[in-house]
Structures are given as structure tokens and as C-alpha cells.
Amino acid sequence: MDAGGASVHDRSLEKERPVPDKETTSFMRSLCMGRIEQDVICPFPTMSDAQRETLTDISGALQGLLGTRAEDFRKWDVAGELPQEFIDELKEFGMFGLVIPEDHGGMGLGNMAYSRTLQEVAKYDASVAVTIGAHSSIGMRGLLLFGTEDQNKRYMPKLASGEMIAAYCLTEPGAGSDAAAIKTTAVKEGDHWVLTGNKLWITNGGFADFFTVFAKTPEEGGRGKMTAFIVTKDMEGVSIGPHEDKMGLRSNPTTTVLFDGVRVPDANVLGEVGHGFKVAMMILNSGRTGLGGGSVGAMKRLIELSTKQANERKTFGEPISSYGLIKKKVGQMVIDCYTSEAVVTMVGGLIDAGYKEYQVEAAISKVYATECLWKTADEALQIAGGNGYMREYPYERVVRDCRINRIFEGTNEILRLLIALTAMNDVASQLQELSSTMKDILNHPIKGFGVLSDYARKHASLRTGVGGEPGFQKIHEAIQEQAKIFEEETRYLAQATDSILRKHGKAIIGKQFASERLAEIMIDLFVMACTISRVQSSIEANGVEAAALEIDLLKTFAREAKVRIKRNFRRIDTNDDEIVKALADDAFETERFRWDTI
Ligand SMILES: Cc1cc2nc3c(=O)[nH]c(=O)nc-3n(C[C@H](O)[C@H](O)[C@H](O)COP(=O)(O)OP(=O)(O)OC[C@H]3O[C@@H](n4cnc5c(N)ncnc54)[C@H](O)[C@@H]3O)c2cc1C
């Protein structure tokens, strides 16, 4: 059997696979090292029967609570306010206790069920979804992850009932993406910390009582590390600014939160002193499926709206749903929604299964789902034509509401850099083991050519199992070709990492065009892997015939992804990066469009 012809279904190539270590294994980080950890992503995650039952109840009740409120949501968006009576209804309904353990008065939902609940809420209104999401995904998540028994006892029951609503306070006027640049300080005085600083654009700021606040705690020598604190609104020196007048999510109150010499008890330090940056990042990682779930819910709603609209609207005597260009848009919406849901569910499933290393996968899910929603919202508005532009219809509001998703909880640019640099860091450390001259390799990439090429070659043999690791196994024959595409394209990941490291060495940190290409390859591969897993589970559960449409969807995604991956790979060496940079630099210098002459 030649290398290229090996079947992904060939059992003779199967090897006994070690059980993945949940503390250390990440599907994507392993993939970058040339290993397909299929057992991490297959079978496709499902909820326990108990969680599914709870979710069914929640979904039915949400229909009652939110289903008849479309006109209210529209009015509240215009007014820029959620009425207190409605917040009280959400509290009574238990919407602030979704992720809080049952013994503290919450519903104790796992990550998957929580994300699915936000899907349901987001189908009705994004401002409501973000109110619940900012509370559970980030505002009080630090307590869930790092809370001491005493802190949990003091705050969880109040947070579960909604007596306290939570907010996450990291951003400052001079520190957004560069979170480590925050200027808020906390200075120890006896058994208290004195906190001073200004936080900006805090979701839920207008009605929150519980704040997870990040501040610099000075160390000897003057340099400060970050520490996380629980601050409550009743502490003296806490004040809240006015609602910001925003483009979207208008009825959720985004405000400044000011801390003027607030005395915070030592018992309110969240996690360890000096480890606040890690706390901040772990909260965002763990909460990403909330935003992902919200994005998927909004896509499902847009598909409902657009299909109805296209069936009803006639032009030239025919419903516009009969036209190819409209079908193309709706077909793509369906692919984007299915694949986004596959990725978001997978990340929730990994967290629920106890995996600890999911930051790359969670970052991919955020970038992918928020960008699919953006495309979907834009196309849904286009299908609605002029009506789409009118406030009377829901489309323009969805466009305004979802635009922020690509900015907050880590901008998609920063997350792409994180995805790529994590991969390259891993490969570089692996290479360190392969070669004691690694430092030299990164300083003088050309020296490392042999070592890096050997590495790439070793890992390029993935799909064949010949001389390397086995690829995807036990995949149903109806989707073997797509599993094969995945394995083949995985080779490009190893080669792309190799190529980029070889080309740029240590300077890679500043080579964002190259990093972005690697991130794009990783995003396509993870989405493809999750979709293969989802379709495989569907075939196993329902049979090939019932899954025919899903199989076709996977085929289409895989073909498109293959084209994108190859293009991104080719452009590592052949591109117009320098020209594009020169054009940008020229514009930065003049701060105008050079050819604007009369
Ligand atoms: C409606 C809303 C709600 C929010 N809610 C909260 C909240 O609840 N809590 C909270 O703490 N914060 C919140 N934020 C803040 C949000 O998280 C930040 O806006 C976000 O992190 C980006 O920071 P920035 O706006 O300062 O942009 P900047 O960091 O100034 O970035 C500007 C642009 O430059 C890009 N960029 C920055 N650095 C790099 C780089 N190294 N390489 C390439 N590109 C780069 C960014 O991707 C972005 O496109 C909210 C913001 C908004 C608008």
C-alpha cells in the first residue's frame, strides 16, 4: 500500500492509543505536534439525561417568559434600558443561578447545558442574553473557579437568586487588549486592601452589586503584579457612571465603575495574590461557550426569519426563495450555524468532561462562532432588502447587537495571535527536546533547516500511519473521504509551523501576517474535526440515510476548508505582505488617502 492510498478505515494500521490525560491534553495542541487525539473529540459530546431534562424545562419556560415580548425588546432597545420589573422576572425564573451549584441555590448546569440555555435566550434578545451571560460567564465565574468555601457561602446564594448581579471589571481607559497595562492599584493596609482606579465599559455595570475587579498589587521594587478581588457595591468608595450610549446591546447598562480608596477585606482576594492575570484569562476561557452559545442561538433565529421572509417575498412573480443567489446565502447560513454549534458544543463538552487545556479550542470557538454570526446577520439583512434596514424589522438590531462579539472578551485579532503563538511555542519547545541547539535555530533559522524539516517530515506522515502516528480511525465510510482530507490538511499544519518558524525564528512575535495564516489553518482544522465528530455521531445514532444532509454539509465544508488551508499555506512563502505593509505605513504617515486630489 502506498503512503497516499492508505485507508483511514484500515484497522491494520490501528495502534493501541493511550487514554488522554485530561490535565495536559489539548486536541489542537496535540495536532500541532502531529498527533490526532481522536478520543478527545469522539464521540461527539452529549448532555446527561438529567441536564437534558432540565434544559427542556428551561427552554419551555423561556418560551413563556420571552416568547411574547418581541415588541418590548424593540422598545427597550430604543429606550436603552431594561425595566426593573423585567429583571425581577429573570431573577424569579432563576436565570442568574444557571451555573451555580445546587447546594448554593443554583441550577448547577454544566458548560454545555449553560451554553445551550444562552442559545435559547439569544433567540429572543441579545441584550437579555448578555445580561445573563456577563453575570454567569465572566462576572461571577471567578468565584466558581477560584472561590474559597467562605467566599462561596457568602456570595453564591445571593448571586444564584439574583439578589446580587455580577460584573467583570478588567478594562480601563488605557488597557483593553493589553490587559496587563491596567493602572488600578490595590495596596495592603493591615487586613484590608485599598483599591483605587477606573474601570471602563463594564457590562451590567448599571445594576451590578458584585464586581470581580483586577488591580495591580505593588511588590517590593515597585513592579506590580495583578490580583483579583471581589468588591461589592455597598463598599464605600464604589461609584457607577452613566449608561453608555451604544450601537447595540442597548438595553444592557454598560458603565464605568470607579473605585476611590475602597477598603476590600483580605478575605475577598480571588485566587492567589499576584496571580490575577491568570485568573482573568481563565475566567474568559471558561466563559467563552456562553458567547459562542449566544452566537449560535442568534444564527438559528436568523435562519428562521430569513427563510420565512424569502418564502413570503415575491419578485418577478416568484418567491425569492426560488432564486439561486438567495439559496446560496441560506445554504451558507446553515453550514455556518451547524459547524459553529459543533465547535461550541465540543468546547463545552471538553470542559464538562474535565479537560483542563482547552484555551486554544475555546479561542477558536469564540472567533469562529462570532464571525459566522456576523456574516449570517449581514446576509439576513440583505435577504430582507429595504425592510432589513428599517427599525420596524429585527435585522438591523441583530447586526448592531452582534458587532461587539468580535471585540469583547478578547478581540478576534488578539485571539488569532494567541491561537498561532501557542502552537508555535509548543512546537518550539518540542524542538528544544529534539535539538540542544534550539536557541541557535531561533536566532539563525537557516541552521535549523534539517532539524525542522525532519520534524515536519515525521509529523507529515500522520494520515498514513506509516512511520508516524495513526490518523482518524473507525470513521464511517460515508465520511471517510472528509476524514482523509482532515488528515492530509493536518500535514500542512506541521509544515506551516515549521516553515514560519524557519523563516522568522524568534522574530515571529512581530510577524502577524504569518501568525494569522497559521491561526486560520488551525481554525479550519478544528472546525472540520468537530464537524466530522458531530456527523459521525449522527450517523451512528440515526443511520446514513437520515444523516444524508449532514454528510453533504460536511463534504461542502471540508472542500472549502481544504481550499482555504492550501491558500493560507502557499501564502506563507508567496505573498504581498510587504506591499500591503508599505501601503499601510504610507497611509499612517500621511494620515489620509494619498490619491484624494481634485
Ligand atoms: C459593549 C462593551 C461591553 C464590554 N464589557 C466589558 C466588561 O464587562 N468587562 C471588561 O472588563 N471589559 C468590557 N469591555 C471592554 C472590551 O473587552 C474591550 O473593548 C476589548 O478588550 C478591546 O479593548 P480596546 O477597546 O481597548 O481595544 P484596543 O485594545 O485598543 O484594540 C484596538 C484594535 O487594535 C487591535 N489590536 C490591539 N492590540 C493588537 C496587537 N498586539 N496586534 C494586533 N492587533 C491589535 C484590536 O484587536 C482592536 O481591533 C466591553 C466593551 C464594550 C464595547
Side-chain angles (χ1 to χ4, degrees):
M1 188 181 294
D2 72 60
S7 158
V8 286
H9 209 57
D10 190 336
R11 297 293 170 83
S12 68
L13 297 176
E14 282 187 23
K15 290 181 185 172
E16 197 58 35
R17 285 187 297 221
V19 178
D21 177 352
K22 292 185 175 174
E23 292 295 319
T24 56
T25 309
S26 143
F27 180 80
M28 283 312 291
R29 293 174 77 167
S30 295
L31 200 66
C32 293
M33 308 304 293
R35 286 190 305 279
I36 298 177
E37 296 275 9
Q38 186 180 344
D39 297 340
V40 177
I41 60 155
C42 291
F44 192 68
T46 50
M47 270 176 267
S48 68
D49 289 346
Q51 294 250 318
R52 188 173 296 283
E53 225 170 86
T54 312
L55 192 60
T56 310
D57 291 346
I58 295 175
S59 164
L62 277 175
Q63 165 68 29
L65 180 70
L66 309 175
T68 54
R69 286 249 157 80
E71 189 46 31
D72 286 341
F73 295 139
R74 200 184 69 77
K75 276 199 250 159
W76 298 342
D77 170 72
V78 174
E81 199 168 23
L82 277 183
Q84 185 57 46
E85 308 82 73
F86 177 71
I87 304 281
D88 291 342
E89 282 184 61
L90 290 178
K91 288 179 188 177
E92 266 170 49
F93 191 79
M95 289 313 283
F96 293 98
L98 296 173
V99 296
I100 295 177
E102 285 173 276
D103 51 1
H104 287 296
M107 290 192 203
L109 295 185
N111 210 297
M112 243 195 301
Y114 166 64
S115 167
R116 193 69 178 69
T117 304
L118 279 196
Q119 261 200 45
E120 292 305 309
V121 180
K123 285 180 188 170
Y124 301 104
D125 185 67
S127 287
V128 178
V130 91
T131 301
I132 297 161
H135 172 85
S136 299
S137 297
I138 54 176
M140 49 127 307
R141 185 143 307 237
L143 189 67
L144 203 63
L145 296 173
F146 300 97
T148 61
E149 215 180 309
D150 161 62
Q151 290 169 345
N152 291 344
K153 254 195 223 150
R154 277 193 287 146
Y155 296 115
M156 279 206 178
K158 290 181 183 169
L159 289 161
S161 67
E163 184 185 335
M164 286 186 134
I165 293 179
Y168 174 89
C169 302
L170 178 62
T171 305
E172 298 181 5
S177 302
D178 185 7
I182 60 167
K183 293 233 161 29
T184 296
T185 54
V187 181
K188 187 93 188 273
E189 276 185 15
D191 58 358
H192 278 71
W193 294 82
V194 179
L195 221 126
T196 305
N198 301 341
K199 297 292 179 178
L200 184 68
W201 300 330
I202 304 307
T203 304
N204 286 357
F207 41 54
D209 315 88
F210 175 103
F211 303 95
T212 299
V213 184
F214 299 89
K216 285 272 176 74
T217 40
E219 289 172 333
E220 272 179 43
R223 287 189 56 223
K225 282 195 169 174
M226 207 187 274
T227 301
F229 296 89
I230 297 169
V231 180
T232 53
K233 196 175 181 175
D234 56 6
M235 292 178 183
E236 210 178 317
V238 177
S239 61
I240 311 296
H243 289 200
E244 301 286 350
D245 187 8
K246 307 194 294 291
M247 168 185 180
L249 300 180
R250 288 179 47 79
S251 62
N252 176 273
T254 306
T255 67
T256 49
V257 182
L258 313 177
F259 304 95
D260 183 10
V262 180
R263 289 178 62 77
V264 183
D266 198 28
N268 279 24
V269 169
L270 204 47
E272 284 176 56
V273 172
H275 286 68
F277 191 78
K278 189 175 153 208
V279 172
M281 295 305 122
M282 283 183 73
I283 291 173
L284 292 175
N285 281 335
S286 166
R288 289 208 204 286
T289 52
L291 191 50
S295 300
V296 172
M299 279 188 253
K300 288 183 178 175
R301 165 136 186 274
L302 288 166
I303 290 170
E304 280 173 28
L305 288 168
S306 294
T307 46
K308 211 170 274 168
Q309 164 78 19
N311 277 334
E312 281 167 12
R313 176 69 175 169
K314 283 191 176 168
T315 63
F316 310 102
E318 297 294 332
I320 60 168
S321 57
S322 66
Y323 300 130
L325 291 183
I326 301 294
K327 287 186 203 287
K328 185 177 167 212
K329 292 182 199 304
V330 173
Q332 189 60 48
M333 286 181 187
V334 172
I335 293 174
D336 287 346
C337 186
Y338 185 96
T339 49
S340 292
E341 190 172 35
V343 175
V344 172
T345 306
M346 182 63 75
V347 173
L350 293 176
I351 299 172
D352 287 345
Y355 283 96
K356 297 287 185 290
E357 282 294 329
Y358 54 81
Q359 86 165 354
V360 172
E361 291 80 358
I364 291 176
S365 74
K366 193 270 188 178
V367 170
Y368 186 73
T370 59
E371 292 182 4
C372 283
L373 171 57
W374 177 246
K375 281 190 286 168
T376 299
D378 182 48
E379 291 292 36
L381 192 150
Q382 188 72 13
I383 290 170
N387 284 339
Y389 203 68
M390 298 298 142
R391 291 221 161 174
E392 187 189 339
Y393 290 82
Y395 305 96
E396 62 85 30
R397 179 147 57 92
V398 182
V399 169
R400 285 188 287 108
D401 285 344
C402 78
R403 183 60 185 83
I404 188 61
N405 293 352
R406 290 163 53 203
I407 297 174
F408 64 13
E409 297 190 21
T411 69
N412 287 11
E413 289 79 15
I414 295 293
L415 290 178
R416 279 190 165 83
L417 296 177
L418 175 134
I419 292 163
L421 293 178
T422 308
M424 282 186 282
N425 210 20
D426 283 357
V427 171
S429 343
Q430 169 86 0
L431 287 168
Q432 229 154 2
E433 284 165 29
L434 295 175
S435 164
S436 56
T437 58
M438 186 55 205
K439 263 203 185 123
D440 270 1
I441 293 171
L442 287 181
N443 283 328
H444 310 284
I446 205 76
K447 274 194 195 169
F449 188 88
V451 179
L452 290 160
S453 297
D454 280 354
Y455 169 82
R457 204 163 33 243
K458 181 176 166 212
H459 294 287
S461 54
L462 266 175
R463 78 184 171 92
T464 64
V466 179
E469 306 279 341
F472 255 128
Q473 295 173 3
K474 299 177 190 162
I475 289 291
H476 192 279
E477 58 184 5
I479 56 169
Q480 272 190 37
E481 199 186 317
Q482 287 64 50
K484 214 165 174 178
I485 291 177
F486 175 82
E487 292 170 8
E488 276 170 3
E489 300 313 306
T490 291
R491 283 187 306 166
Y492 287 112
L493 178 57
Q495 287 176 356
T497 319
D498 168 76
S499 210
I500 291 170
L501 276 175
R502 182 153 33 86
K503 194 166 174 178
H504 301 298
K506 272 204 304 202
I508 184 58
I509 302 290
K511 302 289 178 189
Q512 297 194 341
F513 285 60
S515 296
E516 188 187 37
R517 289 189 185 105
L518 185 60
E520 293 301 335
I521 293 174
M522 290 173 72
I523 291 168
D524 265 327
L525 285 172
F526 187 54
V527 178
M528 207 190 314
C530 296
T531 309
I532 288 171
S533 172
R534 183 175 182 183
V535 176
Q536 166 82 8
S537 289
S538 178
I539 295 173
E540 280 165 11
N542 311 311
V544 186
E545 256 176 59
L549 218 47
E550 291 171 271
I551 294 170
D552 284 345
L553 184 153
L554 169 63
K555 284 181 183 168
T556 308
F557 179 84
R559 266 196 295 267
E560 295 287 321
K562 181 176 167 175
V563 171
R564 286 191 297 267
I565 291 170
K566 285 201 163 49
R567 190 177 54 218
N568 274 313
F569 182 69
R570 267 197 319 272
R571 288 193 182 160
I572 288 170
D573 285 323
T574 313
N575 56 57
D576 292 324
D577 295 358
E578 293 311 315
I579 298 173
V580 173
K581 274 192 240 169
L583 288 168
D585 285 338
D586 179 69
F588 288 139
E589 204 177 311
T590 55
E591 294 191 350
R592 62 184 286 276
F593 180 64
R594 170 178 285 278
W595 296 279
D596 181 24
T597 50
I598 295 175

